[in-house]
Amino acid sequence: MNRKYRKTVIAANWKMNKTPSETKAFMTEFKAMLPKGRWCDIAFCVPAVCIPAAVRAMHETRVGIGAENCNANASGAYTGEIATNMLVDAGCKYVICGHSERRAMGETDADVNAKVLAILEAGLVPIMCVGESLEQRELGVTEEWIAMQIKAGLSGVGEDKIKKVVIAYEPIWAIGTGKTATPEQAEEVCQSIRTVIRKLYGAKVARAVSILYGGSMNEKNAEELLAQPDIDGGLIGGASLVAEKFIKIIEAANQPC
Ligand code: 13P
């Protein structure tokens, strides 16, 4: 982390977990445990049907609510899809895009790019995910692969908007596996992402962009990961479903840096 230059963001990705009623109960428990003071930005990206309950519960707190996906089109015949203006109206602040679980369902870099542009256009914060497979890591092409995902995903994003983008590095082999990247492995890739941003937008912008790590981050390993200079927060799946664990990760963001 480097709070002098950029925000620390601790974001939950609930994936396909919890009902609206469970969301309400969780938020009540979580709110009671939320530490005082503003150490980091906190986001909950929740299933679409849980957004109203989450927004209601976190009204007038420093916690932002987000969606886990969106459609890049403004409106129309896209059965089952959700447009960014709907998310704005529902009270969202963040939208995850390019998660590897959605890429595995067929989302391309061009789709991710269209979503990033639509999210920014709507005034929301995109949390754009990138990450390599185990095979790519073993082949030694991680940096090139991630650089390609970053360049493709950010295509057409102007200098006026880039500082709003949050990037999440999530090695696919570490997601939901309990196999976290070591702090050194995670730092190495997050640092290389910042180098790509520097080449695209210059040093000042690169210093200001928050880059998160995701992949089996939990209350035990968060402190070590967040101590790395280029890891500005976390995108947390499993451990964000338990209020106590997620609070401990938020507390781990409160360290000198
Ligand atoms: P886990 O924390 O469950 O590994 O999930 C990480 C993730 O995919 C967050 O987007």
Side-chain angles (χ1 to χ4, degrees):
M1 296 184 295
N2 189 330
R3 276 195 289 263
K4 189 170 162 206
Y5 293 116
R6 47 193 179 259
K7 284 180 180 172
T8 302
V9 183
I10 301 294
N13 174 10
W14 275 4
K15 309 191 178 184
M16 200 169 74
N17 292 292
K18 297 196 192 289
T19 63
S21 316
E22 286 165 352
T23 302
K24 190 179 171 197
F26 176 98
M27 293 301 176
T28 307
E29 189 192 354
F30 175 81
K31 227 163 41 171
M33 298 191 320
L34 193 61
K36 301 271 176 291
R38 195 183 181 98
W39 304 333
C40 58
D41 286 10
I42 302 167
F44 277 99
C45 297
V46 301
V49 293
C50 300
I51 290 171
V55 168
R56 226 175 289 129
M58 288 302 153
H59 182 63
E60 287 179 351
T61 71
R62 63 199 163 97
V63 177
I65 304 304
E68 298 176 9
N69 184 33
C70 69
N71 189 289
N73 294 290
S75 64
Y78 304 98
T79 303
E81 293 291 281
I82 297 176
T84 52
N85 69 333
M86 300 173 189
L87 298 173
V88 171
D89 194 66
C92 283
K93 182 173 173 201
Y94 300 90
V95 187
I96 295 175
C97 58
H99 194 282
S100 59
E101 287 155 15
R102 296 213 62 89
R103 290 181 191 258
M105 293 176 212
E107 201 165 295
T108 65
D109 283 309
D111 295 330
V112 176
N113 178 233
K115 290 181 187 196
V116 169
L117 295 173
I119 294 163
L120 288 168
E121 188 59 35
L124 297 163
V125 176
I127 302 179
M128 186 181 90
C129 304
V130 296
E132 84 287 5
S133 64
L134 187 57
E135 194 188 0
Q136 288 165 331
R137 175 159 283 268
E138 285 170 350
L139 279 170
V141 298
T142 299
E143 270 190 32
E144 289 92 333
W145 178 257
I146 303 281
M148 185 278 295
Q149 286 186 319
I150 297 281
K151 285 182 193 164
L154 295 180
S155 172
V157 175
E159 295 211 4
D160 54 327
K161 298 258 172 72
I162 180 67
K163 279 194 208 163
K164 261 198 108 170
V165 177
V166 173
I167 293 169
Y169 166 56
E170 299 206 313
I172 297 169
W173 48 272
I175 296 176
T177 56
K179 206 177 156 200
T180 326
T182 64
E184 294 72 28
Q185 282 173 324
E187 167 62 18
E188 190 182 23
V189 180
C190 290
Q191 196 183 74
S192 81
I193 291 173
R194 205 174 301 286
T195 303
V196 175
I197 307 277
R198 188 177 305 121
K199 286 184 186 150
L200 292 173
Y201 296 96
K204 210 171 150 200
V205 168
R207 237 184 356 237
V209 170
S210 298
I211 304 173
L212 319 184
Y213 168 78
S216 300
M217 194 187 219
N218 58 37
E219 71 286 3
K220 296 191 188 86
N221 58 30
E223 193 173 335
E224 236 191 336
L225 286 159
L226 295 171
Q228 300 298 315
D230 288 290
I231 301 179
D232 305 309
L235 183 56
I236 298 116
S240 74
L241 296 167
V242 181
E244 257 172 39
K245 292 186 183 179
F246 195 54
I247 289 280
K248 283 199 180 124
I249 298 173
I250 292 165
E251 284 170 346
N254 188 30
Q255 51 180 293
C257 56

